[in-house]
Amino acid sequence: MNYHPQFASEPGPNLPVPPLRIVMPSGDTLSSVDSDLEEKISTVFERKLKLMTTAPPGLLIEVPVGTLGGALSEVTEFPLAGGAPVGAFFDYGCLHLIASSTLNHFQKMYPKGRFDVRRFRPNLVIHSDSEPFVENSWVGRNIMIGQELILRVSIPCPRCISVTLAQDDLPRDPSILRAIAEQNMCDLGDFGTLPCAGVYAEVIKAGHIQCGDTLRFVD
């Protein structure tokens, strides 16, 4: 969580992926063009690591027993990016949206915690004065943001221990996940009933967006 990557230049459609810069907790910077990058990160994490821009076919995520529920409660491996384009490096979906009313509700219910948006790592935070977990009602619907982008909301986003981990000035806090479980358990079919915050979405029509754009339904 304390390794911060960014592209060396702005990525664009139909262009090669630009080099990546990785700022380490020490403040040192690594680059994806460094010939010894993989050796350096493998040494830090004490396991052999490889940097790739495209996921190879059949790549699996390994999880402890009980991470999922329902029919998959005993599963310890499942395919990477099941709700994203082939070759993507996402746990499931390629976009994650969360409403401000949801974050505010969690904070109200557990005031000692810090429900900083960094814990949830969304692509988009939707300002909303609606009831908390309004995103759950978007599942299966098409939404437009701005004048071009159209998304289809797929499933509520299940949360795991990652939201509890320390990063930057945020402390480790196991009660963050406990609060989510107390407030928003969602039935995800074969995945079981899991604590969720926000929703996953897939791109139906690509387009440019900017801060302040309005979200509206188009189905």
Side-chain angles (χ1 to χ4, degrees), residues 67 91 121 157-165 177 180 195:
T67 298
D91 287 353
R121 309 176 308 283
C157 181
R159 310 314 308 213
C160 65
I161 194 173
S162 293
V163 298
T164 73
L165 301 180
L177 183 57
I180 297 171

Side-chain angles (χ1 to χ4, degrees), residues 122-138:
N123 299 96
L124 297 172
V125 178
I126 308 301
H127 175 74
S128 173
D129 294 323
S130 301
E131 293 297 313
F133 320 123
V134 63
E135 313 97 306
N136 294 348
S137 67
W138 302 347

Side-chain angles (χ1 to χ4, degrees), residues 24-219:
M24 302 172 68
S26 64
D28 294 333
T29 300
L30 302 176
S31 171
S32 59
V33 299
D34 293 342
S35 59
D36 60 349
L37 172 64
E38 292 179 358
E39 180 182 344
K40 287 180 177 178
I41 60 176
S42 295
T43 299
V44 169
F45 288 97
E46 300 181 344
R47 64 185 64 190
K48 186 172 178 58
L49 300 177
K50 185 174 181 60
L51 196 70
M52 296 181 286
T53 58
T54 303
L59 196 64
L60 301 174
I61 298 177
E62 184 178 3
V63 296
V65 172
T67 298
L68 302 177
L72 303 179
S73 60
E74 298 299 316
V75 167
T76 58
E77 292 180 330
F78 60 91
L80 183 77
V86 173
F89 276 107
F90 300 105
D91 287 353
Y92 182 78
C94 57
L95 286 177
H96 171 220
L97 287 66
I98 194 167
S100 59
S101 56
T102 294
L103 292 173
N104 293 338
H105 178 77
F106 284 135
Q107 189 64 68
K108 181 180 179 181
M109 293 296 100
Y110 174 42
K112 292 183 179 180
R114 291 178 60 189
F115 285 86
D116 190 294
V117 68
R118 289 173 293 173
R119 291 195 187 276
F120 297 87
R121 309 176 308 283
N123 299 96
L124 297 172
V125 178
I126 308 301
H127 175 74
S128 173
D129 294 323
S130 301
E131 293 297 313
F133 320 123
V134 63
E135 313 97 306
N136 294 348
S137 67
W138 302 347
V139 171
R141 303 195 66 180
N142 291 348
I143 58 177
M144 174 175 276
I145 300 177
Q147 299 302 312
E148 302 174 2
L149 179 67
I150 299 178
L151 307 176
R152 182 169 181 80
V153 179
S154 52
I155 62 171
C157 181
R159 310 314 308 213
C160 65
I161 194 173
S162 293
V163 298
T164 73
L165 301 180
Q167 56 175 300
D168 296 328
D169 61 322
L170 296 174
R172 178 179 178 274
D173 188 350
S175 293
I176 293 288
L177 183 57
R178 189 175 302 119
I180 297 171
E182 290 173 350
Q183 298 296 318
N184 193 41
M185 296 292 289
C186 296
D187 183 355
L188 302 184
D190 286 344
F191 290 109
T193 301
L194 299 172
C196 295
V199 288
Y200 279 126
E202 58 183 302
V203 177
I204 301 300
K205 178 186 176 186
H208 292 86
I209 60 174
Q210 60 185 358
C211 291
D213 279 347
T214 300
L215 179 153
R216 58 192 183 279
F217 298 102
V218 291
D219 54 358

